[in-house]
Amino acid sequence: MAITGAHVVLHSSEPDALRALLSTMLEHEGVDAGGGWPIYPLPPAEIAVHPNDHAAHELTLMCDDLDSTMDELAAKGVEFVGEIDEQPWGVVATMRFPGEVTALLYEPRHPTAI
């Protein structure tokens, strides 16, 4: 198959702070793509399509235990905002990264593709 992976780009007004947090959060310094642009490894990924009236993208990181993962990430400097959202398909928390970048962290309660 021609597709070998996925590349996620986060846009932030505080790129150095976000890079430092990702390095800590993912426990990897990343690789230098040239010119000091680090690229960090991600765990296996899956893709889904949801109906919407406008085009949008969303970054969601999955975990096996939301509470313990939130505790671990908070100790590494990840900020969580809002309440934990209990859904039939999973439990979701919102992370806020430097530069007002948000991403979701969730514990799925459905079969995953990975």
Side-chain angles (χ1 to χ4, degrees):
M1 174 174 231
I3 296 175
T4 60
H7 183 87
V8 176
V9 176
L10 300 176
H11 296 265
S12 172
S13 60
E14 299 179 48
D16 291 335
L18 182 48
R19 289 175 183 135
L21 179 62
L22 288 174
S23 179
T24 300
M25 188 173 129
L26 299 171
E27 298 178 350
H28 194 287
E29 291 183 24
V31 297
D32 189 336
W37 288 81
I39 297 177
Y40 304 93
L42 285 174
E46 58 185 21
I47 189 168
V49 178
H50 292 215
N52 202 330
D53 291 337
H54 64 280
H57 302 84
E58 184 176 287
L59 173 64
T60 303
L61 301 176
M62 298 187 316
C63 63
D64 293 328
D65 181 318
L66 186 70
D67 291 330
S68 66
T69 303
M70 286 178 67
D71 290 344
E72 181 181 330
L73 292 177
K76 293 178 179 182
V78 174
E79 178 186 0
F80 289 90
V81 295
E83 300 296 319
I84 292 174
D85 189 12
E86 296 261 352
Q87 296 290 330
W89 45 265
V91 188
V92 184
T94 301
M95 300 177 286
R96 183 170 33 218
F97 299 148
E100 299 302 314
V101 174
T102 60
L104 300 178
L105 175 66
Y106 98 113
E107 177 185 332
R109 293 186 175 152
H110 60 79
T112 64
I114 53 174

